[in-house]
mmCIF file of all heavy atoms in Angstrom:
data_model
loop_
_atom_site.group_PDB
_atom_site.id
_atom_site.type_symbol
_atom_site.label_atom_id
_atom_site.label_comp_id
_atom_site.label_asym_id
_atom_site.label_seq_id
_atom_site.Cartn_x
_atom_site.Cartn_y
_atom_site.Cartn_z
ATOM 1 N N ILE A 85 -4.134 63.479 45.543
ATOM 2 C CA ILE A 85 -4.833 64.790 45.623
ATOM 3 C C ILE A 85 -4.649 65.443 44.224
ATOM 4 O O ILE A 85 -3.592 65.464 43.702
ATOM 5 C CB ILE A 85 -4.109 65.751 46.762
ATOM 6 C CG1 ILE A 85 -4.189 64.933 48.034
ATOM 7 C CG2 ILE A 85 -4.815 67.039 46.750
ATOM 8 C CD1 ILE A 85 -3.405 65.690 49.105
ATOM 9 N N SER A 86 -5.702 66.068 43.746
ATOM 10 C CA SER A 86 -5.755 66.598 42.404
ATOM 11 C C SER A 86 -5.171 68.068 42.624
ATOM 12 O O SER A 86 -5.971 68.970 42.864
ATOM 13 C CB SER A 86 -7.040 66.594 41.809
ATOM 14 O OG SER A 86 -7.050 67.287 40.672
ATOM 15 N N PHE A 87 -3.831 68.333 42.457
ATOM 16 C CA PHE A 87 -3.361 69.618 42.515
ATOM 17 C C PHE A 87 -3.410 70.338 41.188
ATOM 18 O O PHE A 87 -2.608 70.103 40.303
ATOM 19 C CB PHE A 87 -1.873 69.669 43.084
ATOM 20 C CG PHE A 87 -1.862 69.010 44.363
ATOM 21 C CD1 PHE A 87 -1.348 67.729 44.526
ATOM 22 C CD2 PHE A 87 -2.163 69.712 45.570
ATOM 23 C CE1 PHE A 87 -1.264 67.066 45.808
ATOM 24 C CE2 PHE A 87 -2.022 69.161 46.730
ATOM 25 C CZ PHE A 87 -1.640 67.858 46.905
ATOM 26 N N GLY A 88 -4.452 71.193 40.969
ATOM 27 C CA GLY A 88 -4.763 71.758 39.732
ATOM 28 C C GLY A 88 -3.831 72.863 39.280
ATOM 29 O O GLY A 88 -3.801 73.168 38.156
ATOM 30 N N VAL A 89 -3.034 73.512 40.229
ATOM 31 C CA VAL A 89 -2.282 74.670 39.822
ATOM 32 C C VAL A 89 -0.827 74.261 40.062
ATOM 33 O O VAL A 89 -0.520 73.834 41.101
ATOM 34 C CB VAL A 89 -2.606 75.831 40.734
ATOM 35 C CG1 VAL A 89 -1.817 77.061 40.241
ATOM 36 C CG2 VAL A 89 -4.139 76.161 40.525
ATOM 37 N N ILE A 229 -8.656 70.807 55.912
ATOM 38 C CA ILE A 229 -8.683 71.892 54.963
ATOM 39 C C ILE A 229 -9.981 71.881 54.160
ATOM 40 O O ILE A 229 -10.574 72.965 53.879
ATOM 41 C CB ILE A 229 -7.475 71.946 54.071
ATOM 42 C CG1 ILE A 229 -6.245 72.098 54.845
ATOM 43 C CG2 ILE A 229 -7.552 72.952 52.985
ATOM 44 C CD1 ILE A 229 -6.157 73.425 55.570
ATOM 45 N N LEU A 656 -14.239 70.936 44.725
ATOM 46 C CA LEU A 656 -14.040 72.043 45.539
ATOM 47 C C LEU A 656 -12.995 71.799 46.650
ATOM 48 O O LEU A 656 -12.084 72.693 46.972
ATOM 49 C CB LEU A 656 -15.349 72.557 46.231
ATOM 50 C CG LEU A 656 -16.357 73.185 45.283
ATOM 51 C CD1 LEU A 656 -17.694 73.369 45.976
ATOM 52 C CD2 LEU A 656 -15.778 74.422 44.612
ATOM 53 N N THR A 657 -13.060 70.557 47.147
ATOM 54 C CA THR A 657 -12.016 70.174 48.276
ATOM 55 C C THR A 657 -10.686 70.128 47.527
ATOM 56 O O THR A 657 -9.696 70.623 48.166
ATOM 57 C CB THR A 657 -12.444 68.805 48.866
ATOM 58 O OG1 THR A 657 -13.709 68.933 49.456
ATOM 59 C CG2 THR A 657 -11.417 68.414 49.808
ATOM 60 N N ASP A 658 -10.546 69.546 46.385
ATOM 61 C CA ASP A 658 -9.254 69.449 45.692
ATOM 62 C C ASP A 658 -8.743 70.813 45.436
ATOM 63 O O ASP A 658 -7.514 71.059 45.598
ATOM 64 C CB ASP A 658 -9.451 68.660 44.361
ATOM 65 C CG ASP A 658 -9.586 67.170 44.647
ATOM 66 O OD1 ASP A 658 -9.350 66.773 45.733
ATOM 67 O OD2 ASP A 658 -10.039 66.523 43.613
ATOM 68 N N GLU A 659 -9.579 71.772 45.018
ATOM 69 C CA GLU A 659 -9.162 73.051 44.758
ATOM 70 C C GLU A 659 -8.673 73.842 45.943
ATOM 71 O O GLU A 659 -7.642 74.503 45.957
ATOM 72 C CB GLU A 659 -10.331 73.950 43.979
ATOM 73 C CG GLU A 659 -9.877 75.304 43.544
ATOM 74 C CD GLU A 659 -11.016 76.028 42.835
ATOM 75 O OE1 GLU A 659 -12.100 75.355 42.704
ATOM 76 O OE2 GLU A 659 -10.867 77.239 42.603
ATOM 77 N N GLN A 660 -9.382 73.664 46.989
ATOM 78 C CA GLN A 660 -9.115 74.243 48.380
ATOM 79 C C GLN A 660 -7.674 73.734 48.823
ATOM 80 O O GLN A 660 -6.779 74.496 49.203
ATOM 81 C CB GLN A 660 -10.076 73.972 49.310
ATOM 82 C CG GLN A 660 -9.874 74.696 50.702
ATOM 83 C CD GLN A 660 -10.435 76.097 50.719
ATOM 84 O OE1 GLN A 660 -10.744 76.623 49.603
ATOM 85 N NE2 GLN A 660 -10.548 76.641 51.913
ATOM 86 N N VAL A 661 -7.583 72.424 48.738
ATOM 87 C CA VAL A 661 -6.272 71.747 49.092
ATOM 88 C C VAL A 661 -5.136 72.231 48.242
ATOM 89 O O VAL A 661 -4.004 72.497 48.752
ATOM 90 C CB VAL A 661 -6.387 70.213 49.168
ATOM 91 C CG1 VAL A 661 -5.056 69.550 49.390
ATOM 92 C CG2 VAL A 661 -7.464 69.712 50.289
ATOM 93 N N ALA A 662 -5.363 72.271 46.908
ATOM 94 C CA ALA A 662 -4.354 72.720 46.013
ATOM 95 C C ALA A 662 -3.850 74.057 46.353
ATOM 96 O O ALA A 662 -2.592 74.405 46.387
ATOM 97 C CB ALA A 662 -4.887 72.674 44.567
ATOM 98 N N SER A 663 -4.681 75.006 46.681
ATOM 99 C CA SER A 663 -4.367 76.362 47.059
ATOM 100 C C SER A 663 -3.600 76.325 48.280
ATOM 101 O O SER A 663 -2.593 77.135 48.377
ATOM 102 C CB SER A 663 -5.630 77.211 47.293
ATOM 103 O OG SER A 663 -6.343 77.366 45.993
ATOM 104 N N TYR A 664 -3.988 75.571 49.323
ATOM 105 C CA TYR A 664 -3.271 75.497 50.460
ATOM 106 C C TYR A 664 -1.970 74.962 50.289
ATOM 107 O O TYR A 664 -0.934 75.487 50.853
ATOM 108 C CB TYR A 664 -4.032 74.609 51.472
ATOM 109 C CG TYR A 664 -3.418 74.265 52.839
ATOM 110 C CD1 TYR A 664 -3.465 75.186 53.856
ATOM 111 C CD2 TYR A 664 -2.748 73.102 52.949
ATOM 112 C CE1 TYR A 664 -2.838 74.893 55.081
ATOM 113 C CE2 TYR A 664 -2.035 72.787 54.162
ATOM 114 C CZ TYR A 664 -2.136 73.713 55.249
ATOM 115 O OH TYR A 664 -1.580 73.389 56.370
ATOM 116 N N VAL A 665 -1.758 73.916 49.534
ATOM 117 C CA VAL A 665 -0.453 73.250 49.353
ATOM 118 C C VAL A 665 0.403 74.182 48.599
ATOM 119 O O VAL A 665 1.651 74.367 48.905
ATOM 120 C CB VAL A 665 -0.557 71.976 48.665
ATOM 121 C CG1 VAL A 665 0.741 71.415 48.314
ATOM 122 C CG2 VAL A 665 -1.328 70.820 49.525
ATOM 123 N N ASN A 666 -0.105 74.861 47.559
ATOM 124 C CA ASN A 666 0.788 75.875 46.874
ATOM 125 C C ASN A 666 1.292 77.043 47.769
ATOM 126 O O ASN A 666 2.438 77.447 47.666
ATOM 127 C CB ASN A 666 -0.086 76.536 45.652
ATOM 128 C CG ASN A 666 -0.154 75.571 44.462
ATOM 129 O OD1 ASN A 666 0.810 74.915 44.212
ATOM 130 N ND2 ASN A 666 -1.247 75.536 43.845
ATOM 131 N N LYS A 667 0.457 77.499 48.642
ATOM 132 C CA LYS A 667 0.794 78.547 49.545
ATOM 133 C C LYS A 667 1.839 77.921 50.560
ATOM 134 O O LYS A 667 2.836 78.559 50.881
ATOM 135 C CB LYS A 667 -0.395 78.995 50.399
ATOM 136 C CG LYS A 667 -0.145 80.088 51.434
ATOM 137 C CD LYS A 667 0.309 81.387 50.761
ATOM 138 C CE LYS A 667 0.209 82.514 51.735
ATOM 139 N NZ LYS A 667 1.024 82.476 52.840
ATOM 140 N N LEU A 668 1.585 76.698 50.920
ATOM 141 C CA LEU A 668 2.583 75.974 51.917
ATOM 142 C C LEU A 668 3.917 75.918 51.182
ATOM 143 O O LEU A 668 4.965 76.127 51.861
ATOM 144 C CB LEU A 668 1.991 74.679 52.200
ATOM 145 C CG LEU A 668 2.646 73.830 53.383
ATOM 146 C CD1 LEU A 668 2.452 74.665 54.648
ATOM 147 C CD2 LEU A 668 1.938 72.558 53.446
ATOM 148 N N GLN A 669 4.008 75.532 49.953
ATOM 149 C CA GLN A 669 5.228 75.362 49.225
ATOM 150 C C GLN A 669 5.967 76.725 49.156
ATOM 151 O O GLN A 669 7.167 76.762 49.263
ATOM 152 C CB GLN A 669 4.993 74.778 47.862
ATOM 153 C CG GLN A 669 4.486 73.378 47.833
ATOM 154 C CD GLN A 669 4.121 72.866 46.427
ATOM 155 O OE1 GLN A 669 3.580 71.744 46.363
ATOM 156 N NE2 GLN A 669 4.331 73.602 45.435
ATOM 157 N N THR A 670 5.188 77.747 48.884
ATOM 158 C CA THR A 670 5.866 79.072 48.885
ATOM 159 C C THR A 670 6.401 79.513 50.106
ATOM 160 O O THR A 670 7.526 80.025 50.215
ATOM 161 C CB THR A 670 4.844 80.066 48.316
ATOM 162 O OG1 THR A 670 4.209 79.715 47.091
ATOM 163 C CG2 THR A 670 5.400 81.445 48.216
#
Side-chain angles (χ1 to χ4, degrees):
I85 303 169
S86 176
F87 298 103
V89 182
I229 297 300
L656 290 172
T657 298
D658 287 346
E659 184 178 353
Q660 183 86 343
V661 170
S663 298
Y664 173 80
V665 172
N666 281 324
K667 180 67 165 59
L668 195 59
Q669 290 172 194
T670 301

